[in-house]
Amino acid sequence: MERVPILKLGDILIVSIQIDLDDQSVLTLQEDLAETVVSRGARGVIIDITAVEIVDSFIGRMLSTIAAMTRMLDAETVVVGMRPAVAITLVELGLSLGGVRTALNLEKGVVMLEHARSAEG
Amino acid sequence: MTVPADAARRRIVEIFTSQEEPLLRRWSQISGAPIDELRDLHQALRTALVGDADLADVRGLLGELSRSRARQGYTPSDTARVVFSLKEAVYEQVEADGQTEALRGFAWLSRLIDDLGLFTFETYSAAREKIIIDQAEQLLELSTPVVKLWEGIVAVPLVGTLDSARTQVVMEKLLQTLVDTGSEHAVIDITGVPAVDTEVAQHLLKTVVAARLMGAECVISGIRPQIAHTIVTLGIEFGDIVTKASLADALAYALTRSGVQVKGAATTRVAVRAERG
């Protein structure tokens, strides 16, 4: 089974999804991520889905779950790089990813997390 | 015209006129067209044959027929077949008559009918041509530009009626531009949209939510008073989506949001507020 790598940049964790996600790899990713957030003391998580071309309700829910999970661990999640086609599909599916912050690309995602942290003080 | 040819012509017109009912029934049977439609054609054709052979009326009727059939999706062959089947119907009457004059006259009438058949074909293609031109114009309306107003701010001026197909195109184009230019603010200006119903509103909301999913904020501007009234009357909820009266207001808002200081933009609002003593 393929594992999604989790990269650390300062106190931000970057997850770039480059593979076709199946149910098992999604569950593994959620566990790995929760563990890494705690062990590294991360304050933010960026999920990069630039390479994801096809989404379904399962992946939509995965993003919401990860966001809710990391928030409980005091880390903010930003989903970046969503393709237009993916956004349209999610809207058509009726998923608005409530509670998930989004940014156009990785760079803006990092800026967004820094802003959020400076606002908290 | 020579004397025998004239006689032949007279004979065929006579048959054509005297045998009207059986002729029409047979014609309708062969062509499958309603008998009333054919009766008009028959009458116009008879008038033309008896008189000076001026086919203007017949052509007018046939033109109407082939245009309406073109719109209903009939093939040109179907329409021409209606005309050509008259030949078969007339020939049966000529055969029953059995005279050489009648046969000779039939050859003449046959040529005439051929011309009419070809005329329906021409009208058909003209009608189709018009349909294609109309559609090309409608397609042209579809092209909606996404314009850059400022660094990080793009706008879509929507003009014309919005339907699902068109909104889809606009939505895809806008979202793609957001990615390409890295813009975090988009203004959808609906000044040119004549009416907003629940469907159009739904499409607008979808676009805004999709842009939000990608990490961009959408502002809807150019809502005219009547449209605002309609939207409220219809009970459409715009939720937390930012709406502005004019494109200028929307631009000022987007600029402020992206950290650019706008001076003097708020002065337009001061006049609206009533002063209290």
Side-chain angles (χ1 to χ4, degrees):
Chain A
M1 190 198 66
E2 288 180 280
R3 266 186 127 89
V4 181
I6 299 171
L7 315 171
K8 186 172 171 292
L9 180 81
D11 53 4
I12 296 173
L13 296 178
I14 298 172
V15 182
S16 184
I17 297 170
Q18 312 270 352
I19 57 166
D20 290 333
L21 290 171
D22 54 45
D23 297 14
Q24 191 52 50
S25 49
V26 166
L27 292 175
T28 317
L29 171 63
Q30 286 176 353
E31 281 166 23
D32 286 358
L33 197 57
E35 215 160 282
T36 321
V37 167
V38 173
S39 64
R40 302 289 176 103
R43 305 296 306 270
V45 175
I46 292 179
I47 303 174
D48 173 39
I49 56 168
T50 313
V52 176
E53 286 179 14
I54 299 163
V55 288
D56 51 18
S57 52
F58 182 72
I59 297 191
R61 211 176 65 224
M62 169 200 89
L63 295 172
S64 296
T65 311
I66 289 181
M69 203 173 64
T70 56
R71 203 175 300 121
M72 286 194 74
L73 301 169
D74 194 27
E76 198 67 50
T77 295
V78 183
V79 174
V80 302
M82 190 183 290
R83 289 169 179 246
V86 170
I88 292 171
T89 312
L90 285 178
V91 172
E92 295 296 337
L93 285 173
L95 296 170
S96 57
L97 301 190
V100 182
R101 306 183 114 188
T102 50
L104 281 173
N105 50 42
L106 184 60
E107 202 178 354
K108 288 182 195 294
V110 174
V111 173
M112 182 182 267
L113 280 178
E114 277 167 5
H115 270 294
R117 211 164 332 129
S118 61
E120 279 172 19
Chain B
M1 196 170 271
T2 54
V3 180
D6 213 343
R9 199 178 141 174
R10 264 206 307 280
R11 181 77 201 128
I12 195 76
V13 172
E14 205 180 302
I15 291 173
F16 194 78
T17 315
S18 61
Q19 303 294 326
E20 180 179 340
E21 272 318 308
L23 196 67
L24 274 175
R25 265 203 304 280
R26 187 77 186 110
W27 188 11
S28 170
Q29 205 179 348
I30 300 169
S31 63
I35 202 156
D36 295 331
E37 210 174 40
L38 300 179
R39 198 184 300 277
D40 289 347
L41 269 178
H42 181 271
Q43 251 160 31
L45 194 56
R46 194 179 54 195
T47 320
L49 289 175
V50 172
D52 205 14
D54 181 11
L55 292 170
D57 278 0
V58 186
R59 279 169 193 267
L61 270 175
L62 275 177
E64 215 36 66
L65 180 79
S66 31
R67 265 192 293 277
S68 72
R69 284 181 162 240
R71 265 182 236 115
Q72 285 162 29
Y74 282 88
T75 64
S77 311
D78 286 340
T79 315
R81 204 167 287 134
V82 171
V83 178
F84 288 139
S85 57
L86 173 63
K87 278 206 274 190
E88 200 179 327
V90 172
Y91 183 73
E92 279 170 16
Q93 297 303 326
V94 169
E95 213 175 25
D97 187 70
Q99 285 185 28
T100 331
E101 293 291 65
L103 274 171
R104 219 176 272 152
F106 177 71
W108 168 79
L109 185 71
S110 171
R111 239 190 342 268
L112 195 90
I113 294 173
D114 284 355
D115 283 345
L116 291 177
L118 289 176
F119 175 73
T120 62
F121 196 96
E122 271 171 32
T123 321
Y124 179 90
S125 21
R128 284 301 281 250
E129 207 86 9
K130 199 178 169 307
I131 292 172
I132 292 170
I133 291 169
D134 287 351
Q135 282 175 345
E137 272 175 15
Q138 284 167 2
L139 270 180
L140 204 68
E141 281 181 7
L142 281 178
S143 67
T144 305
V146 179
V147 289
K148 184 175 166 183
L149 292 182
W150 201 269
E151 192 59 51
I153 304 172
V154 292
V156 209
L158 289 178
V159 178
T161 317
L162 283 179
D163 55 17
S164 355
R166 192 160 169 233
T167 323
Q168 190 75 18
V169 175
V170 171
M171 196 199 268
E172 280 169 18
K173 211 166 166 185
L174 172 63
L175 298 185
Q176 193 55 53
T177 315
L178 289 177
V179 175
D180 293 345
T181 61
S183 303
E184 284 183 320
H185 294 276
V187 180
I188 302 175
D189 186 73
I190 58 167
T191 313
V193 179
V196 172
D197 55 12
T198 45
E199 204 188 343
V200 173
Q202 194 62 34
H203 289 317
L204 286 174
L205 294 182
K206 273 187 187 172
T207 311
V208 174
V209 174
R212 229 176 236 182
L213 280 178
M214 290 174 51
E217 271 304 312
C218 266
V219 182
I220 297 175
S221 75
I223 300 175
R224 279 177 282 122
Q226 301 96 315
I227 289 185
H229 188 234
T230 319
I231 288 174
V232 174
T233 315
L234 286 173
I236 301 165
E237 282 290 335
F238 266 55
D240 53 347
I241 294 165
V242 181
T243 53
K244 296 281 169 189
S246 69
L247 185 58
D249 287 344
L251 177 61
Y253 172 80
L255 283 172
T256 316
R257 284 296 298 261
S258 54
V260 179
Q261 253 195 341
V262 187
K263 282 184 181 173
T267 52
T268 52
R269 289 277 167 207
V270 176
V272 181
R273 198 180 299 154
E275 282 188 35
R276 282 176 195 165

